[in-house]
Amino acid sequence: MDIFIQQILNGLVLGSIYALIALGYTMVYGIMGLINFAHGEVVMVGGMVTVSVVSALMAAGLGLPPLALILIGLMVAVAACMLLGFTIERVAYRPLRKAQRLAPLITAIGVSIVLQQLAILVWGRNYIPFPPILDHDVIQIFGASITRLQMVIIVLCLAIMGGLLLVVEKTKLGRAMRATSQNPAVAGLMGVNVNTIISATFVIGSALGAIAGLMVATNYEQVHYYMGFMIGLKAFTAAVLGGIGNLAGAVAGGILLGIIESLGAGYIGDLTGGFLGSHYQDIFAFAVLIVVLIFRPSGLLGEKMADRA
Amino acid sequence: MNTMTKQPASAKKVATFVASAIVLAVLPFIVGGTFGNSWVRTLDFALLYVMLALGLNIVVGFAGLLDLGFIAFYAVGAYTFGLLASPHFSLDMPFWITLPLGALFAAMFGVMLGTPVLKLKGDYLAIVTLGFGEIIRIFLNNLNAPVNLTNGPQGINLITPIEVAGFSFGKPHEFFGITFNGVYMYYYLFLALTVLVVIMAWRLQHSRIGRAWVAMREDDIAAAAMGINIRNIKLLAFALGALSGGVAGGLFASFQGFISPESFGLLESIMILAMVVLGGMGNIPGVILGAVVLTVVPEVLRDVIGPLQMATFGKMIIDPENARMLLFGLALVVMMLVRPEGMLPSKRRKAEFEDAKEGV
Amino acid sequence: MAEVLLKIDGIVKRFGGLVALSEVGLTINKGEIYGLIGPNGAGKTTLFNVLTGLYMPDEGSFTFNGQNLFRAKPHVVVGAGIARTFQNIRLFKEMTALENVMVGRHIRSKAGALGAVLRDPRTMAEERAIRDKAMELLAYVGITEVAHEFAKNLSYGHQRRLEIARALATEPKLLALDEPAAGMNPRETEELKALMEKIRASGVTVLLIEHDVKLMMGLCDRIAVLDYGKKIAEGVPEVVRRDPKVIEAYLGVAHE
């Protein structure tokens, strides 16, 4: 039972990070019908920049408290990622908006590779440890333990996601975004500047990605040029699981996937009589993805697509 | 146009055919003599990739099914060969069993992958196939315990080279007093098989089956309404593509003598897809060109980037491997922006891309 | 007594909560031109899609030429002998006219992947036969001169004819045409009428959806009228025309 609660807690931490990244995928997909393959790399850049800034500030010896260090690092990372997201859309996707679907997918893969290679160029191929400023206090809940940091991750993720939902539901920008996702042409006729809205979507999604990058970095206490790939793929799975294009769905899908994954990793050994071990953890996300797409391609919260001739 | 109706071969065609046959026959000697044997090895790889890309082209180019996990079939072919002809299980089966068996297994995996994804299209299909490819790789990486099936990340070593009637392609041979390295032997073997794959792909394209694929790619509802069994024709594309991938995988295993999960990652799948797309999806000469360019150019860059930097800056500013991949990523982006239909597109594809531009 | 070719009974088709067809039944006899009319949104195209296998009906029965086609896959329906065209022309745009018709021969030919690769004499003979038949059909609908053009480059009238040729290539017993005269000028409509008479004379039964009630009255042997997913009348044109329910259905939408 303790293992069960422990895995649920681990799943919640992982899941809220997935959810945050999944929002980036789902927002872009909702508005442009495009899988932004490079979003995982934005997360990676967010993590990398934070670590670099924090390390640099510490080396400068200003004696700032850890929270200030992380906040400054995060602010720089968010700014960098917003710029990055804006640029990616401008350079790689906007010219292809009318092209066949294959073209933007290939460009997205190209952008992904370029960002990874640039990361190698700047930060090298090795794992970079997070500077030793993280708090490791553990809280006990029902016999399971969770660090305070992980609690912060969960709470912060939920707060940010709530904020985003408010923006989309209540503000003028949100209304324009929803209109664009319904029908860009009509939204354009109604005076919505579709280009601005698409840019804004990328920028907001990238900002969330940067925050997620920091969380991944603090949770695993290291960063790496390839860290965005797997987590991006899983977050995409989460978005599909919840119903791609649906914000609440992305959140639900992310948390659910996180829990499925931790429970799966915790119990796969028992389930298969020791044949498969916890290093098969990554398989769960793909298995979930495949099962969802086959049985309910519209996702858990997505609208059922009508069959049309 | 239809090529099945026999036309008298014009003198020009015959001349082109003879000339290209001669060039292909002497190519390894020119390349090997000028740049050394490692470049003949690159040629061998180029031929392997031509086979792989032509296989993927059946799935992506002909049938229009976006597959980002194609390397899985290559892996299935390679591991079938490797496991049945290496000290790992102390087996030494001849290639005429291992190679067809690998192709068969790969085709079965193709159908296995194809069946659940029949209703998926475009990006979704791409992501699911990507997931499938990763699952295969994760299994290859971890199936060394509790029963050692794949030997995990260490891979399979000492795989038997292909041997025909006591003639091993892996060892140097002497003809007319000249010793030929194994890479030369394999060149001719791969060339022969590549020619077969080209003929196969070409004939499929210009057949009843090929027409059904195009019809399905262009409008699957109209195709169904014309009596095409969409499920079967899709699975056939997956199976035939996987079959070619499986053959290439077996050849790869015997040629390298060593395989490990590392050779079958996502990047390889992307590379093969890039060969098809940058070459000219659906057009066999284009795909061949794409495969050759994307095999040879990175090798050239590997040799050029380092010395070039030393000569210009006097030091290494950017690691050649890094630079190579950076250029590859940039090439993907730039190519899609400038010439999305590829270097040598088919007439049909070109028309499709024009439609897309006009927003039809 | 006329021989029944197609018979459906109690066909129900729902989309979510919406009932698009409710208990529709009709019979089509061999050799006739059968018309299906009704106001916009009456369920004509839905019924058409059910009859050609693109939609799976939820309830009812469907027999054709003695074969049970209830919830059959499209290729089975085509194999049984029903071929169709589409209201908003669905040709294979980047295939030539000839290739389009050759695709229509798919169901009546057999060569598989192995035959395609080996090119054995039988496959080659079949391929020649496919081509010859396709050319013959292009001539039949009168568009031989554009055989090697991409379908998308054909004129509108030619595209309509090509779609009919492609459907005929499947050797249908019943040819189902979804608003074939839509967007045609009077001369083209007359030519189309002549083509349909010619097809019927060759022994193929024709099912027709058309908006142009006048055209239908002059052309069809029998007509069924749909309204709100229900069949409200069926019979020879003279009787249907005077049916009060039909008049009401049409007047009901006339001032919309």
Side-chain angles (χ1 to χ4, degrees):
Chain A
M1 196 59 201
D2 290 355
I3 300 180
F4 181 75
I5 294 173
Q6 184 65 56
Q7 294 297 9
I8 295 265
L9 282 182
N10 293 348
L12 274 177
V13 177
L14 207 56
S16 33
I17 299 178
Y18 290 160
L20 206 52
I21 306 173
L23 284 171
Y25 281 104
T26 230
M27 282 167 70
V28 168
Y29 194 92
I31 287 199
M32 300 178 71
L34 168 118
I35 297 174
N36 178 14
F37 221 96
H39 189 54
E41 266 54 59
V42 174
V43 174
M44 177 269 292
V45 170
M48 289 286 200
V49 169
T50 317
V51 170
S52 295
V53 171
V54 171
S55 307
L57 287 174
M58 283 172 73
L62 303 174
L64 292 169
L67 191 62
L69 288 173
I70 289 185
L71 278 180
I72 297 173
L74 182 62
M75 268 154 50
V76 178
V78 166
C81 286
M82 286 167 107
L83 186 66
L84 183 62
F86 179 81
T87 316
I88 291 174
E89 193 271 325
R90 264 303 169 80
V91 174
Y93 298 144
R94 185 166 298 185
L96 293 172
R97 215 173 280 163
K98 275 187 183 163
Q100 286 205 327
R101 293 182 71 102
L102 181 66
L105 184 75
I106 300 275
T107 3
I109 293 173
V111 169
S112 244
I113 294 176
V114 168
L115 288 177
Q116 281 175 16
Q117 297 302 319
L118 287 176
I120 293 178
L121 211 56
V122 178
W123 290 290
R125 285 177 191 275
N126 296 325
Y127 282 90
I128 304 171
F130 201 91
I133 51 168
L134 298 174
D135 167 313
H136 289 100
D137 289 356
V138 172
I139 304 168
Q140 296 291 329
I141 303 176
F142 304 119
S145 52
I146 181 169
T147 64
R148 275 210 334 228
L149 184 70
Q150 289 177 320
M151 293 286 280
V152 172
I153 290 180
I154 296 177
V155 172
L156 199 58
C157 278
L158 291 175
I160 293 169
M161 292 183 285
L164 181 72
L165 287 178
L166 270 180
V167 168
V168 171
E169 290 300 324
K170 302 283 180 204
T171 65
K172 201 174 155 213
L173 173 68
R175 203 158 47 238
M177 286 168 83
R178 281 180 289 141
T180 309
S181 75
Q182 293 276 322
N183 188 333
V186 174
L189 290 176
M190 294 298 132
V192 173
N193 185 338
V194 175
N195 280 336
T196 313
I197 294 304
I198 289 176
S199 286
T201 308
F202 269 83
V203 167
I204 296 174
S206 302
L208 299 181
I211 301 172
L214 164 72
M215 289 175 178
V216 178
T218 53
N219 193 42
Y220 295 102
E221 298 196 35
Q222 61 185 12
V223 287
H224 184 236
Y225 80 96
Y226 204 59
M227 68 189 250
F229 166 68
M230 197 48 102
I231 205 152
L233 214 52
K234 287 178 179 174
F236 173 76
T237 302
V240 172
L241 178 61
I244 193 142
N246 180 323
L247 296 183
V251 175
I255 291 173
L256 193 59
L257 184 69
I259 291 175
I260 291 175
E261 230 185 71
S262 336
L263 285 181
Y267 288 103
I268 185 171
D270 295 345
L271 287 175
T272 58
F275 186 70
L276 302 178
S278 60
H279 37 263
Y280 286 96
Q281 182 178 6
D282 288 344
I283 281 184
F284 290 103
F286 296 121
V288 166
L289 178 68
I290 292 174
V291 169
V292 171
L293 283 178
I294 291 160
F295 292 105
R296 200 177 157 84
S298 51
L300 297 177
L301 300 184
E303 289 159 29
K304 197 165 184 300
M305 288 175 256
D307 55 336
R308 291 166 58 184
Chain B
M1 305 301 101
N2 196 304
T3 51
M4 277 214 174
T5 42
K6 285 227 169 69
Q7 288 156 350
S10 66
K12 202 178 154 196
K13 264 188 185 162
V14 174
T16 322
F17 178 76
V18 173
S20 27
I22 293 175
V23 169
L24 285 172
V26 300
L27 191 62
F29 296 97
I30 299 169
V31 169
T34 323
F35 305 107
N37 280 350
S38 74
W39 283 96
V40 182
R41 203 181 156 69
T42 303
L43 283 184
D44 294 355
F45 269 108
L47 289 171
L48 265 184
Y49 278 114
V50 169
M51 284 186 245
L52 268 178
L54 285 173
L56 180 61
N57 184 49
I58 292 177
V59 184
V60 181
F62 294 170
L65 305 163
L66 202 46
D67 187 348
L68 264 180
F70 191 68
I71 204 69
F73 308 124
Y74 190 55
V76 169
Y79 268 84
T80 308
F81 196 109
L83 292 174
L84 296 179
S86 74
H88 181 62
F89 286 143
S90 311
L91 289 172
D92 192 13
M93 293 197 189
F95 82 95
W96 50 266
I97 292 183
T98 50
L99 211 53
L101 211 57
L104 189 72
F105 281 157
M108 277 165 51
F109 267 84
V111 173
M112 241 172 65
L113 164 70
T115 310
V117 300
L118 280 170
K119 288 201 173 129
L120 300 181
K121 282 183 197 166
D123 299 359
Y124 279 101
L125 184 60
I127 299 279
V128 169
T129 49
L130 184 158
F132 176 77
E134 283 297 295
I135 287 178
I136 296 269
R137 195 183 55 80
I138 293 172
F139 269 103
L140 291 178
N141 230 334
N142 292 304
L143 276 181
N144 51 345
V147 185
N148 189 354
L149 289 177
T150 63
N151 208 23
Q154 281 82 42
I156 311 280
N157 240 316
L158 299 172
I159 299 166
T160 321
I162 288 181
E163 205 179 281
V164 185
F167 181 92
S168 169
F169 282 86
K171 296 190 191 102
H173 286 273
E174 211 183 279
F175 296 106
F176 320 114
I178 312 166
T179 309
F180 293 99
N181 194 298
V183 290
Y184 287 85
M185 303 291 112
Y186 270 106
Y187 174 82
Y188 293 108
L189 178 68
F190 287 0
L191 184 62
L193 287 166
T194 304
V195 169
L196 278 181
V197 173
V198 170
I199 292 174
M200 182 186 111
W202 177 267
R203 288 186 166 187
L204 277 172
Q205 185 178 16
H206 298 274
S207 74
R208 170 175 176 266
I209 302 292
R211 274 195 303 275
W213 282 331
V214 179
M216 172 179 75
R217 192 184 74 210
E218 293 209 356
D219 186 338
D220 54 345
I221 288 169
M226 287 305 115
I228 292 170
N229 184 335
I230 296 291
R231 184 180 57 112
N232 289 359
I233 205 80
K234 258 190 195 177
L235 288 182
L236 186 64
F238 275 119
L240 289 176
L243 190 90
S244 325
V247 171
L251 295 175
F252 171 71
S254 76
F255 176 55
Q256 284 274 84
F258 165 73
I259 48 172
S260 75
E262 220 176 274
S263 309
F264 308 106
L266 174 65
L267 195 63
E268 285 290 311
S269 282
I270 291 176
M271 198 55 113
I272 300 165
L273 183 64
M275 290 170 179
V276 174
V277 175
L278 299 195
M281 210 165 37
N283 193 30
I284 293 173
V287 172
I288 296 174
L289 178 69
V292 172
V293 166
L294 279 183
T295 320
V296 174
V297 170
E299 289 303 314
V300 173
L301 288 178
R302 194 201 294 277
D303 274 13
V304 168
I305 292 175
L308 193 69
Q309 289 186 67
M310 293 304 280
T312 14
F313 309 109
K315 59 174 179 180
M316 288 288 240
I317 295 182
I318 167 169
D319 153 43
E321 180 60 25
N322 195 195
R324 237 155 46 99
M325 287 308 298
L326 199 57
L327 287 175
F328 173 60
L330 283 174
L332 286 184
V333 177
V334 171
M335 194 70 185
M336 283 303 106
L337 296 179
V338 178
R339 203 178 157 84
E341 69 273 24
M343 294 183 279
L344 269 184
S346 66
K347 232 192 197 166
R348 211 191 301 280
R349 279 287 173 177
K350 221 172 152 188
E352 285 169 24
F353 275 100
E354 276 158 16
D355 280 358
K357 254 184 224 159
E358 288 156 15
V360 175
Chain C
M1 191 57 211
E3 205 181 331
V4 172
L5 179 65
L6 178 149
K7 182 170 169 55
I8 57 169
D9 216 359
I11 288 289
V12 176
K13 175 69 191 168
R14 298 185 201 93
F15 294 108
L18 182 85
V19 180
L21 293 175
S22 113
E23 312 234 333
V24 176
L26 51 82
T27 45
I28 301 176
N29 298 322
K30 254 180 201 158
E32 67 183 352
I33 295 185
Y34 189 97
L36 194 58
I37 61 172
N40 272 331
K44 290 174 308 219
T45 297
T46 306
L47 180 57
F48 214 74
N49 285 338
V50 167
L51 291 178
T52 51
L54 290 186
Y55 285 167
M56 298 272 158
D58 296 301
E59 289 168 33
S61 67
F62 177 3
T63 49
F64 178 78
N65 202 27
Q67 194 177 342
N68 177 19
L69 289 183
F70 184 68
R71 293 178 75 88
K73 288 263 171 63
H75 64 96
V76 177
V77 173
V78 180
I82 302 178
R84 69 171 290 169
T85 64
F86 291 87
Q87 185 181 334
N88 46 341
I89 307 181
R90 293 184 88 144
L91 287 164
F92 306 118
K93 283 188 274 177
E94 269 93 17
M95 293 176 104
T96 64
L98 178 63
E99 286 169 328
N100 265 277
V101 184
M102 287 170 85
V103 169
R105 292 302 294 161
H106 186 88
I107 190 90
R108 303 292 169 215
S109 45
K110 290 200 290 284
L114 199 62
V117 172
L118 297 178
R119 292 202 171 169
D120 54 300
R122 193 197 285 169
T123 308
M124 297 296 280
E126 185 184 273
E127 186 70 17
R128 265 193 303 277
I130 290 173
R131 201 184 168 79
D132 292 348
K133 180 76 184 177
M135 282 309 287
E136 191 186 300
L137 282 165
L138 287 176
Y140 184 81
V141 301
I143 54 171
T144 311
E145 71 276 13
V146 293
H148 297 291
E149 301 270 341
F150 275 148
K152 63 167 183 174
N153 296 334
L154 265 49
S155 72
Y156 186 76
H158 281 176
Q159 290 193 5
R160 285 269 179 221
R161 283 163 177 271
L162 176 56
E163 234 197 349
I164 293 173
R166 188 179 66 174
L168 285 174
T170 68
E171 291 176 20
K173 293 185 176 64
L174 175 71
L175 178 65
L177 305 172
D178 194 349
E179 300 205 20
M184 284 192 166
N185 62 35
R187 191 176 58 85
E188 286 172 327
T189 308
E190 275 310 306
E191 285 170 6
L192 181 76
K193 223 168 132 182
L195 179 60
M196 273 187 276
E197 295 284 6
K198 187 163 98 173
I199 291 169
R200 190 249 296 263
S202 72
V204 176
T205 309
V206 178
L207 166 65
L208 197 59
I209 294 186
E210 204 31 271
H211 233 62
D212 185 345
V213 178
K214 225 193 215 156
L215 172 80
M216 295 289 269
M217 294 293 174
L219 188 63
C220 298
D221 300 312
R222 288 196 306 136
I223 285 177
V225 187
L226 283 185
D227 192 26
Y228 292 111
K230 287 198 176 72
K231 187 180 78 175
I232 55 170
E234 182 181 19
V236 292
E238 295 78 58
V239 177
V240 168
R241 195 196 325 242
R242 286 193 299 269
D243 190 314
K245 277 190 284 188
V246 176
I247 295 166
E248 196 199 318
Y250 270 89
L251 290 179
V253 290
H255 52 76
E256 203 173 62

